[in-house]
Amino acid sequence: MRDQDEARLHDYLDGELGESARARLEEEIRSDVGLRAQLRDLEAIRASLSELPRAATPPARIWTAIEARIGADAPSQESTPLLALLPEKPAGDIDRDGRRRWRHIS
């Protein structure tokens, strides 16, 4: 499946093509067996996906573990302020004319 064909077929199925682009693609689909097969495959995949639940709720024990990890990773009130992490000297020097001369920092 060419990426361009796949993208156009997704746009077609999503109803995102304009009238003329839609008509051109429908003509290609009628005349191209491979493109028709790609369209059928995408339609089958979408049909399968539509049968899946929209949201899944993890079991309570897993959700509790997730919440605990989120809390453990959250920054504390005592964390370092962002400005303190910046270098004291900028990544460039001022020349005699008052212009900044930048240098690469690795």
Side-chain angles (χ1 to χ4, degrees):
M1 179 182 303
R2 289 187 353 222
D3 290 340
Q4 183 181 7
D5 288 340
E6 184 176 2
R8 290 188 314 147
L9 290 173
H10 280 288
D11 290 345
Y12 176 77
L13 291 172
D14 292 339
E16 295 179 359
L17 294 178
E19 263 185 64
S20 61
R22 183 179 184 85
R24 281 192 309 272
L25 182 57
E26 287 174 344
E27 182 59 37
E28 286 181 55
I29 291 168
R30 281 192 287 279
S31 64
D32 186 330
V33 175
L35 203 54
R36 266 196 317 275
Q38 291 173 357
L39 179 60
R40 280 194 306 272
D41 289 346
L42 290 175
E43 288 171 332
I45 290 168
R46 285 176 177 234
S48 296
L49 291 174
S50 69
E51 295 171 9
L52 294 175
R54 290 278 181 203
T57 304
R61 65 183 170 72
I62 293 176
W63 188 245
T64 302
I66 291 170
E67 287 177 325
R69 288 189 69 188
I70 291 171
D73 292 342
S76 70
Q77 295 295 338
E78 300 169 10
S79 61
T80 306
L82 182 59
L83 292 176
L85 300 175
L86 296 175
E88 290 182 28
K89 186 175 180 183
D93 298 310
I94 307 295
D95 67 10
R96 286 183 285 146
D97 300 324
R99 292 178 297 200
R100 184 169 304 280
R101 300 289 180 195
W102 295 100
R103 59 187 161 84
H104 177 72
I105 296 178
S106 52

